[in-house]
Amino acid sequence: MLNYTSKIRETARRLLTENRVDAVIGFKKGTVPMMCQPVLITTPEDVDTLYWDSFCGVNLANYLPKRKERIAVVAKGCDSRNIALHILENQIERDQVFVMGAPCKGMVDRRKIVTALDNQEPTEVTEYADRLVVRGEGIEAPLNKADVLQDNCAICIHRNPVICDELMGDPVPEQEGIDRYADVRELEAMGPDERSKYFTELVRTCIRCYACRDACPLCYCPTCFVDESRPQWLGKSADPTDTMTFHLLRAFHCAGRCTDCGACERACPMGIKVRQFTKKLEKDVMELYGHEAGMSLETRPPLDVYQPDDPGDFIS
Ligand code: SF4
Ligand code: SF4
Ligand code: SF4
């Protein structure tokens, strides 16, 4: 495990004591194994609540838009890219946010562990450098962390924070030689009917709880189109057309802005691989514009940039 807990606590204590920030957003240990929950602390007395392990997968950038106070936030590589986007999109000021950078070796997918245990929930998980030992009733299983990473983490090539005010540990080696888009290429090879069938089946069990939207740092519109009632863009029932409309519009809304942080997929109670939508668009934006979201504070997402000499063939 990358043990950042003591460094996170020490930094948070210093920032709060010296009155450099009004609040710190990090993680605290959950009440059940394999769960860490976001926490906001405002006093040095509370810093010992802060905690870090490989179950801190929630993207904390989600808690930044429109904050008024000075805020420190623990940020993995993907979180830092979403923070960069928030700064570019005027959701928070750069000098208002203190980035506590957490170089990351990937977050563990608790569902993969439960599957490895024949659908039993472990009562205890101990984490070592690259290994986990999970225990449950009559179970004691060693697992390689690499085998139970979140799908997006297994293919992540930006594990170190891209913007940072202080690192919580040494930078980690970035993964090289990763094929990020094998699954997208399979989709692209399908004909239109087959692809439509694939996506229809993908979201067949969607209950439109919108947890994927709520977990995503890119979804911060004051009123989401799915919640509008005048006009009402989407019906409230589980109509398949409404469901697909939600997924397609959400994905296009994230085009050129998605960091593949996996928060949407992680949040889905139905285990739907919603990144199949956003990954395709991520690949398209990369190929069309050579752009990866949130990699710097200088480059805006390509779809919010206008230049008078932009080619306009597609609307002529
Ligand atoms: S996407 Fe990358 S930076 Fe983000 S949690 Fe996974 S490995 Fe870490
Ligand atoms: S769409 Fe999903 S993967 Fe992309 S930024 Fe939002 S939560 Fe992260
Ligand atoms: S979180 Fe899952 S079930 Fe809920 S709306 Fe998103 S895809 Fe559908």
Side-chain angles (χ1 to χ4, degrees), residues 76-78 104-107 152-153 156 158-159 260-261:
K76 307 178 286 291
C78 52
C104 172
K105 281 194 173 173
M107 290 290 135
N152 65 310
C153 294
C156 172
H158 300 298
R159 293 177 153 188
D260 202 30
C261 72

Side-chain angles (χ1 to χ4, degrees), residues 11-286:
T11 308
R13 182 175 287 110
R14 175 165 39 83
L15 293 172
L16 288 166
T17 308
E18 293 174 1
N19 195 26
R20 290 175 62 191
V21 298
D22 303 308
V24 177
I25 300 178
F27 289 94
K28 72 177 193 178
K29 201 166 170 40
T31 50
V32 291
M34 306 193 291
M35 294 296 257
C36 290
Q37 67 187 81
V39 64
L40 181 145
I41 61 163
T42 54
T43 64
E45 290 71 43
D46 287 335
V47 296
D48 288 341
T49 317
L50 294 166
Y51 180 76
W52 177 268
D53 67 14
S54 293
F55 295 94
C56 295
V58 171
N59 189 331
L60 295 182
N62 200 22
Y63 299 95
L64 295 181
K66 298 294 180 220
R67 282 202 173 270
K68 300 288 176 231
E69 69 268 57
R70 297 164 301 158
I71 198 130
V73 58
V74 179
K76 307 178 286 291
C78 52
D79 305 10
S80 74
R81 292 170 62 195
N82 284 105
I83 294 170
L85 281 157
H86 284 325
I87 294 167
L88 283 170
E89 295 180 350
N90 302 321
Q91 294 305 303
I92 195 155
E93 300 287 334
R94 175 66 186 98
D95 57 9
Q96 185 193 349
V97 61
F98 187 99
V99 180
M100 297 163 64
C104 172
K105 281 194 173 173
M107 290 290 135
V108 170
D109 183 340
R110 61 183 299 283
R111 288 188 186 121
K112 289 188 181 173
I113 293 184
V114 173
T115 304
L117 296 182
D118 285 336
N119 293 322
Q120 290 188 66
E121 288 278 344
T123 51
E124 194 189 326
V125 177
T126 314
E127 186 172 354
Y128 301 94
D130 295 314
R131 210 164 49 89
L132 299 163
V133 176
V134 290
R135 296 181 182 87
E137 240 180 67
I139 306 166
E140 177 160 334
L143 295 169
N144 284 329
K145 214 176 106 180
D147 296 336
V148 288
L149 287 183
Q150 291 182 185
D151 288 351
N152 65 310
C153 294
I155 57 161
C156 172
I157 52 170
H158 300 298
R159 293 177 153 188
N160 292 295
V162 297
I163 57 168
C164 181
D165 294 297
E166 190 167 324
L167 278 176
M168 300 298 106
D170 294 333
V172 295
E174 295 291 0
Q175 302 198 99
E176 288 177 7
I178 298 286
D179 182 359
R180 289 184 46 78
Y181 300 116
D183 50 352
V184 178
R185 282 198 303 276
E186 276 178 32
L187 284 172
E188 289 169 342
M190 294 176 186
D193 291 346
E194 192 185 358
R195 199 177 309 145
S196 165
K197 211 168 135 196
Y198 173 86
F199 279 111
T200 304
E201 181 57 24
L202 183 74
V203 298
R204 187 179 50 79
T205 55
C206 175
I207 53 174
R208 299 246 301 281
C209 64
Y210 303 135
C212 48
R213 172 202 66 181
D214 295 346
C216 175
L218 301 177
C219 286
Y220 54 71
C221 296
T223 307
C224 175
F225 74 99
V226 301
D227 297 323
E228 284 276 7
S229 53
R230 288 186 189 174
Q232 187 182 62
W233 302 103
L234 286 189
K236 304 295 178 200
S237 70
D239 175 76
T241 305
D242 285 342
T243 300
M244 187 57 83
T245 304
F246 160 62
H247 283 288
L248 291 175
L249 289 186
R250 188 186 88 82
F252 276 100
H253 198 151
C254 299
R257 302 167 66 231
C258 172
T259 59
D260 202 30
C261 72
C264 48
E265 209 160 276
R266 181 187 169 87
C268 177
M270 305 307 288
I272 295 171
K273 297 201 174 287
V274 273
R275 287 173 47 254
Q276 291 289 285
F277 290 98
T278 45
K279 269 189 88 183
K280 163 65 179 151
L281 293 169
E282 188 198 333
K283 177 171 179 282
D284 286 352
V285 169
M286 171 65 95

